[in-house]
Amino acid sequence: MKFDKILIVRLSAIGDIINTLPALTVLRTNFPKSFIAWVVEDKAKDILLNHPALDKVIVFERKKWRPDIRSFRSWLHSARTFKEARNFIRLLKQEHFDIALDFQGNFKSGLLAYLSGAKIRVGFDKKISKEGNHLFINHKIKLASSPLNRVAKNLYLLESLGLNTKNHSPVVAIPPADHNYINNFLKSRNLLDKKLIILHPGTSPFGVYKRWPLKYYTELANKLTGFNENYGVVVTWGPGERGLAEKIIAETTPGQAELSCPMNLTQLGALLKKATLFVGSDSAPLHLASALKIPLVGLYGPKDPLIYGPYEHPHSIVITKNLPCQPCRKRTCQQPDCMNLITPEEVLRSVKKLLLNTD
């Protein structure tokens, strides 16, 4: 089997982009001389730019091209938007891809795989995909009925093509400038010589119901620095999350925790590489910590950790309550007991266990 030009289609979300990096490793290992490109939405591009296994990152500017039907002004620009979209498709086709691998399995990803002009379009069958994705795919992969981790699911797609997936360690490309940025931040906070524990309270707006209560993070932060002065706690935040982190800092004993600096994804990766441990719920930062093999405590409520948890991570502990309602497919929940019943004491026990095993 030989493919000179390979297209990966995984547009979003950021955590799912990270969970597709092992598949990229497999592709580069099996096709060391092939041209490999990845089409991705603009909000998740940072983690892929300058990646050593990629020859090209093709940015799909979905938000820029999506018209607001309530705005007359947006329709005035519709002709320009159509022209830009047409040019994007033309550039996609000009690459003359031999194969498109659709790891996402929805309408957008299937359409882009089809519009790429690749004769072979690999994805998941109708049972696994959604939004009519299977109509664009001409090589459909069936999965076993048992729950499968998202990373394993991606690897299975490649196994079905006969590829050797043994070497699948993900690579996260972090520019030197980002390491310098984080070092300067840590130096300014007298944290360079500390063993860092990262607390990340946020999730995407779509996954608010997956968040652990802020008061529990505050209690945990106070306990963490209380048992060993060599540790430093940093509370991180992403777009729209700074207020969450600031509330934790405001309620924490002064000097016990620091608010992180503003960071993009690769800068967060640089901070995580300095960390001794990460604590957070199902989110992109957790998946990034997992990809970097940073010891972590994952707090899982509505989502099934078998599917969405860390993959092949020897120094990770997942805490979940296994309530009758778990896992669930709700978009919102007025009483998320699955998260509220996880106590700071049991998280602290897991933290201590990991620190004892990794120090």
Side-chain angles (χ1 to χ4, degrees), residues 5-42:
K5 305 200 78 173
I6 301 168
L7 177 65
I8 296 172
V9 184
R10 178 75 234 194
L11 305 171
S12 62
I14 295 172
D16 290 318
I17 299 292
I18 295 167
N19 285 336
T20 310
L21 291 177
L24 173 59
T25 297
V26 169
L27 286 170
R28 180 51 73 197
T29 301
N30 283 264
F31 302 102
K33 297 182 179 180
S34 295
F35 178 92
I36 302 177
W38 190 319
V39 60
V40 64
E41 289 183 5
D42 45 2

Side-chain angles (χ1 to χ4, degrees), residues 25-188:
T25 297
V26 169
L27 286 170
R28 180 51 73 197
T29 301
N30 283 264
F31 302 102
K33 297 182 179 180
S34 295
F35 178 92
I36 302 177
W38 190 319
V39 60
V40 64
E41 289 183 5
D42 45 2
K43 65 180 180 180
K45 66 182 179 181
D46 288 349
I47 204 70
L48 300 179
L49 295 175
N50 303 310
H51 196 289
L54 284 172
D55 296 290
K56 190 170 187 177
V57 176
I58 303 170
V59 180
F60 176 63
E61 300 186 79
R62 179 181 69 90
K63 287 188 176 180
K64 179 180 177 181
W65 294 341
R66 183 178 61 187
D68 182 353
I69 62 174
R70 298 166 297 179
S71 170
F72 176 70
R73 185 178 179 183
S74 72
W75 287 107
L76 292 177
H77 296 288
S78 61
R80 186 181 67 183
T81 299
F82 176 78
K83 182 179 180 181
E84 290 177 352
R86 184 180 61 186
N87 289 339
F88 173 83
I89 295 168
R90 183 183 295 118
L91 290 172
L92 199 61
K93 286 187 174 181
Q94 283 177 353
E95 295 292 349
H96 300 292
F97 291 107
D98 301 308
I99 184 172
L101 300 163
D102 183 358
F103 291 98
Q104 187 145 347
N106 63 12
F107 176 81
K108 286 184 300 182
S109 62
L111 178 62
L112 286 174
Y114 176 78
L115 293 174
S116 74
K119 292 183 179 180
I120 302 175
R121 300 180 299 277
V122 183
F124 298 102
D125 66 3
K126 183 177 180 180
K127 183 178 179 181
I128 302 299
S129 61
K130 55 186 179 181
E131 301 174 358
N133 171 271
H134 65 284
L135 299 174
F136 301 105
I137 300 301
N138 57 17
H139 191 104
K140 302 176 181 67
I141 305 301
K142 295 182 179 180
L143 287 179
S145 58
S146 59
L148 199 62
N149 186 277
R150 282 297 177 93
V151 174
K153 176 184 174 183
N154 295 330
L155 295 176
Y156 185 82
L157 185 144
L158 300 181
E159 288 175 9
S160 299
L161 297 177
L163 302 187
N164 183 348
T165 62
K166 185 176 181 180
N167 177 18
H168 58 255
S169 296
V171 174
V172 179
I174 302 173
D178 290 342
H179 287 292
N180 293 336
Y181 178 74
I182 293 303
N183 283 336
N184 289 335
F185 161 72
L186 295 176
K187 184 177 180 180
S188 71

